[in-house]
Amino acid sequence: MASNNEYQTPFNSRYCTEEMKQLFSPRNRFSTWRRLWIWLAEAEKELGLAGISDQALAEMQSHIIIRDEEFALIEVEEKRRRHDVMAHVHGFGLAAPSAAGIIHLGATSCYVTDNADLIFLRDGLDLLLPKLATVIKKLSDFARKYRDQACLGYTHGQPAALTTVGKRTCLWIQDLLMDLRNIERSRSDLRFRGVKGATGTQGTFLSLFRGDHSKVEELDELVTKKAGFESVFTISSQTYSRKIDLDVCNSLGSFGATCERIFTDIRHSAMMKEIEEPFETDQIGSSAMAFKRNPMRSERGCALGRKLQNLPMDAMATYAHQWFERTLDDSAIRRISIPESFLCADALMLLLDNVMSGLVVYPAVIERRIAQELPFMATENIIMALSEVGVSRQEAHEEIRVLSHQAAAAVKLEGKDNDLLDRIRKQEFFNPIIGQLDQLLEPKSFYGRAPQQVDKFTGPGGEVESALAKYEDVIRKGGRVDLNV
């Protein structure tokens, strides 16, 4: 069983960072509740509410972090009361007896549960964003390195016009930049629920401050500031709107889809032996087939990406099924799906960083595959060259059509290499341009502006640089990558 400082989940492993596991751990959850009770009591005292002593606040402060032995006592109380928040109010009161009478004063359960969840959403996104920025930076460096490494493009799963390894990488980066933007927006949209009372009307706090509306508003703003939020919801029900969860989980789920798409490309590239993920000297690919180099990291990435992109459905259904000011059918599912969305996203960040830090490119294999297809792609160039020396385009088209079909049959029916160029060289019809053949088949003439597009996209003043500007320091301080993930 996981400790009270670790979230109990299938992701409890080296595949998630300790920071993310601890963020959603029982100890952090319930210690955050205690912080919220302290902030509320401090704010009430600062605004003149009587009965909150310095000793009470001091005792609360000295017991912010819930201890192991307290969990057992609180568990007994929860079984008795069937109410987790009241069990923890009781437990905190035992730890800080001078404060027992003022803990949770005027509040409803959602003051701690919901405000704590908003803190976890905020802090979780703050953990993920720099990791995503770091991955994008590493991919950007990789794209620039291979900006002009020609490779076959594929449409419909079939060889198409050439592109470059760097340009294809930019397709991944562009999608990750969209994820970065979506997650940043979800982070910036977060607000604190604040001090709102049972149905969000702040009625209990208005009573505490004897009808002084300005004091109630000050209380809301003061606790919000203590919690580190810039703004607070003006309107809430007993809970903050579950649409907030949906918004955050959607941004993470979209990132999960991006991960599956990228890792699928890597798996296909590995299948063709063009690009592979890191593979250690002593790594075993298969228990039966010793030669195997299975792309296990990318396969895991596809699995976790698929899981993450499905988790927003939990948040969507939960939001849609809320009644009026609240129902409790949201509680159990949120305690599972929200942490697992973040833990899954965190695991994917580690996988992306790991794989992108050690991608292996095999130019010789890539170029051999180009050589098998390029003669067919070059036929239009050959026809145009013949036309420039006075040969009829229609005649040139017919001659090369026949030879192309013959070469294709040799490849498909006899398993031979593409010998179209040899067939062309043997035909007197093509003598006027034989000396130009090598130039006409130069891969650089087939991938257009791919290298220049990479430069513009990833270079100074480009989209990547602009998006990563705020993360420069954290990227620069990035630690060593563990390729054993």
Side-chain angles (χ1 to χ4, degrees), residues 249-423:
C249 289
N250 270 340
S251 67
L252 298 182
S254 181
F255 166 69
T258 302
C259 290
E260 184 173 8
R261 187 254 189 274
I262 292 173
F263 282 124
T264 296
D265 273 359
I266 294 173
R267 291 168 64 193
H268 282 136
S269 297
M271 182 176 66
M272 296 184 290
K273 297 180 173 60
E274 292 187 354
I275 297 176
E276 289 182 342
E277 64 182 36
F279 196 93
E280 276 65 60
T281 303
D282 296 327
Q283 184 174 329
I284 295 174
S286 168
S287 61
M289 295 165 281
F291 63 89
K292 295 289 289 296
R293 291 174 64 96
N294 299 339
M296 59 88 168
R297 292 175 176 87
S298 298
E299 289 174 317
R300 187 192 313 147
C302 285
L304 292 177
R306 199 172 306 142
K307 173 66 175 178
L308 182 54
Q309 63 194 271
N310 284 311
L311 283 171
M313 289 302 300
D314 286 355
M316 185 176 296
T318 298
Y319 162 68
H321 285 78
Q322 287 300 285
W323 300 359
F324 300 115
E325 277 63 49
R326 89 149 304 174
T327 54
L328 198 60
D329 59 321
D330 63 339
S331 180
I333 190 171
R334 293 177 66 252
R335 296 187 192 205
I336 299 170
S337 59
I338 292 176
E340 291 202 344
S341 292
F342 279 86
L343 290 159
C344 194
D346 191 58
L348 283 164
M349 294 292 182
L350 291 182
L351 270 174
L352 279 173
D353 191 292
N354 173 272
V355 171
M356 301 316 169
S357 297
L359 275 180
V360 182
V361 179
Y362 297 108
V365 177
I366 293 173
E367 289 160 9
R368 185 178 187 279
R369 184 160 281 107
I370 289 174
Q372 289 293 307
E373 301 292 341
L374 194 59
F376 294 136
M377 298 179 189
T379 54
E380 182 62 24
N381 286 9
I382 294 171
I383 292 171
M384 295 301 294
L386 286 168
S387 298
E388 289 177 4
V389 297
V391 177
S392 165
R393 187 189 187 286
Q394 285 71 26
E395 290 181 24
H397 184 279
E398 180 59 21
E399 290 287 335
I400 207 162
R401 182 189 70 81
V402 172
L403 295 183
S404 295
H405 287 188
Q406 291 172 356
V411 170
K412 294 177 180 179
L413 301 179
E414 302 175 44
K416 294 182 177 180
D417 289 339
N418 189 336
D419 63 355
L420 176 58
L421 295 182
D422 291 337
R423 294 175 186 271

Side-chain angles (χ1 to χ4, degrees), residues 469-483:
K470 69 182 74 171
Y471 302 99
E472 283 184 4
D473 288 342
V474 72
I475 291 173
R476 192 180 303 113
K477 296 175 184 176
R480 179 182 63 83
V481 174
D482 182 5
L483 293 181

Side-chain angles (χ1 to χ4, degrees), residues 141-192:
D141 293 341
F142 180 85
R144 284 196 294 272
K145 181 178 180 180
Y146 292 99
R147 62 186 287 279
D148 53 4
Q149 172 62 61
C151 67
L152 281 179
Y154 288 88
T155 60
H156 310 277
Q158 304 300 311
L162 297 190
T163 184
T164 70
V165 172
K167 168 65 188 309
R168 177 175 289 156
T169 304
C170 287
L171 298 177
W172 304 342
I173 297 172
Q174 183 166 252
D175 291 349
L176 289 172
L177 286 177
M178 294 174 66
D179 293 317
L180 186 71
R181 178 202 66 198
N182 291 341
I183 296 172
E184 285 177 338
R185 185 201 52 75
S186 293
R187 169 64 178 86
S188 65
D189 282 353
L190 286 177
R191 287 187 276 171
F192 202 51

